[in-house]
Amino acid sequence: MAESVAREKFACPSCGADAHWNPQRHALVCSYCGTVAPGEYGSGDVRELDLVTALRQIPEEKRGWKAEKRSVKCQSCQAISVVDPERVAQRCEFCGSAQIIPYDQIKAPVSPESLLPLKVPETVVREDLRRWYGSRWFAPSRLKTDAATDQIKGIYLPYWTFDAQAQAHWSADSGYYYYTSETYRDAQGNTRTRRVRHVRWQASSGSLNHFFDDELVPATKGVDMTLLRKVEPFPTKELVPFSAGFIAGWVVEQYQIDLVGAAQHARQQMESTLHGLCAKQVPGDTYRNLSVRSQFGQQTFKHILLPVWLVSYVYGGRTFQVIVNGYTGTIAGKHPLSPWKIAALIFVLLIAALLFLLFNR
């Protein structure tokens, strides 16, 4: 396949079986005999790449996964999962759909520059998820016992990060409040005095410099974006250089927002941030007609992988997702609601309202 560009194997030094990345041991561990494979991972510097140069042309050596991988695409949610070649994919890792097909492409994807290794082990995540489900009072009781944790999967999600030195010049009308007193007649014909606020407008302008560091743009289509934002932030200062050993035995989602689209989205985020920073600089009590002109320099980017634990299950004909930050353990998710518990709450509230009326006649 066009995507399988890596040649590196991760065989157990004892028995020759496949070694997979183990987040508890922070090493490659044989899935058959438990031998820990020697080697150091995550050493070296995390590099930033020049954005302007990359937008012209990504060199071929910066593409691919540096390990044997194959891709499948879900026909339901459109997520592209990148898995080890020996793994038989039967259902989508993200939505559970059986409508998955092999995915080939003309050009290999841009290689990740760095990643956050999966840190929170599965045993801890399962216990945390059971407590999380248990705290959802309106969730069906079945979820609190089963907790759907049998469906848990560790996945690396694609992100882009962008750095830039920004300079912004702004102009606006600054408004300063002042007050006068005026008399008026009320509905009964009485003379009254009231304080009236006015605004005196004055032209103002200014400038500021701001450095954007690791502006994150998720490039996933497999997870609920609202939930993903809730488990952020990911500590990008802890990124380590990419090594194929980190993703051995794990599913990786391939980015579906390319560098051009991500750079445009990052620029919009930066422009919005600059607008807010400039607004804070406008003197006075209020403002209008704020205009911001910005310039960006020293623009760099990284393609990175960030770890999550994902639970995706179908309940009552609907698909629900729960996401756990694979580095910090933060949980966000959606769950079905029990109509019986909602009805019980309404009943209790009605009884309470009736009792209140009876005792307050």
Side-chain angles (χ1 to χ4, degrees):
M1 295 176 64
E3 194 170 58
S4 300
V5 298
R7 309 288 177 260
E8 192 173 358
K9 301 285 187 179
F10 298 100
C12 172
S14 297
C15 68
D18 289 335
H20 295 168
W21 179 258
N22 186 304
Q24 285 178 289
R25 309 288 290 276
H26 199 75
L28 286 165
V29 178
C30 178
S31 56
Y32 181 73
C33 70
T35 298
V36 178
E40 289 196 13
Y41 299 93
S43 59
D45 297 326
V46 174
R47 295 186 302 164
E48 300 278 352
L49 303 178
D50 183 73
L51 179 59
V52 176
T53 301
L55 289 175
R56 294 193 184 106
Q57 180 64 48
I58 297 288
E60 288 304 313
E61 63 268 19
K62 294 294 183 183
R63 295 185 178 276
W65 294 102
K66 317 307 177 193
E68 287 191 43
K69 293 287 180 181
R70 66 186 185 88
S71 302
V72 292
K73 184 171 185 177
C74 176
Q75 296 295 89
S76 178
C77 71
Q78 305 302 307
I80 300 174
S81 299
V82 183
V83 299
D84 292 336
E86 68 277 4
R87 181 166 179 166
V88 179
Q90 297 178 334
R91 291 188 175 274
C92 175
E93 304 286 343
F94 297 93
C95 70
S97 171
Q99 302 179 60
I100 54 175
I101 59 174
Y103 179 76
D104 290 305
Q105 54 191 3
I106 296 173
K107 185 174 286 188
V110 176
S111 303
E113 276 293 317
S114 51
L115 54 67
L116 275 180
L118 194 62
K119 182 178 181 181
V120 184
E122 184 175 347
T123 52
V124 172
V125 173
R126 287 184 183 276
E127 289 303 314
D128 288 346
L129 281 174
R130 288 190 179 94
R131 283 192 290 269
W132 184 85
Y133 278 112
S135 66
R136 310 298 106 173
W137 197 88
F138 286 108
S141 298
R142 223 179 92 193
L143 280 183
K144 297 183 181 183
T145 54
D146 299 342
T149 56
D150 289 343
Q151 307 297 324
I152 190 170
K153 308 174 187 73
I155 297 174
Y156 282 100
L157 298 181
Y159 271 78
W160 301 94
T161 77
F162 295 89
D163 293 359
Q165 180 65 56
Q167 185 177 42
H169 301 274
W170 60 267
S171 61
D173 295 330
S174 294
Y176 298 87
Y177 296 150
Y178 68 96
Y179 298 87
T180 61
S181 296
E182 65 177 24
T183 58
Y184 70 100
R185 291 187 180 276
D186 61 17
Q188 287 74 39
N190 300 315
T191 301
R192 304 284 186 183
T193 302
R194 61 188 172 194
R195 195 165 179 248
V196 180
R197 190 178 75 181
H198 306 276
V199 181
R200 182 180 71 255
W201 295 104
Q202 179 179 316
S204 59
S205 61
S207 62
L208 61 83
N209 291 300
H210 182 77
F211 182 70
F212 290 94
D213 185 23
D214 284 347
E215 190 79 10
L216 281 174
V217 178
T220 172
K221 285 192 175 180
V223 299
D224 186 308
M225 196 58 63
T226 303
L227 297 181
L228 185 58
R229 289 303 193 185
K230 288 181 179 179
V231 302
E232 293 177 352
F234 290 88
T236 55
K237 296 302 179 186
E238 305 299 319
L239 288 168
V240 299
F242 175 77
S243 169
F246 285 120
I247 61 174
W250 299 93
V251 174
V252 180
E253 185 187 4
Q254 181 175 311
Y255 62 82
Q256 294 195 65
I257 299 177
D258 63 11
L259 178 58
V260 175
Q264 292 172 344
H265 188 75
R267 177 62 65 87
Q268 292 171 359
Q269 292 179 180
M270 292 177 186
E271 294 277 8
S272 178
T273 299
L274 287 175
H275 192 277
L277 291 174
C278 290
K280 292 180 180 179
Q281 279 198 353
V282 180
D285 303 303
T286 186
Y287 68 88
R288 68 183 183 186
N289 301 328
L290 175 61
S291 175
V292 178
R293 302 174 306 282
S294 53
Q295 294 179 318
F296 295 87
Q298 303 175 36
Q299 299 178 80
T300 60
F301 78 98
K302 298 186 298 292
H303 170 35
I304 66 174
L305 300 177
L306 300 179
V308 300
W309 289 99
L310 178 67
V311 177
S312 183
Y313 60 96
V314 177
Y315 191 98
R318 295 176 57 197
T319 299
F320 297 88
Q321 280 188 345
V322 181
I323 302 174
V324 182
N325 186 312
Y327 201 87
T328 66
T330 305
I331 300 175
K334 295 180 179 179
H335 59 82
L337 301 176
S338 169
W340 302 108
K341 291 183 177 180
I342 295 173
L345 177 63
I346 294 173
F347 179 76
V348 170
L349 291 175
L350 287 173
I351 295 298
L354 288 173
L355 291 173
F356 178 82
L357 291 173
L358 285 173
F359 287 101
N360 289 275
R361 284 184 171 181

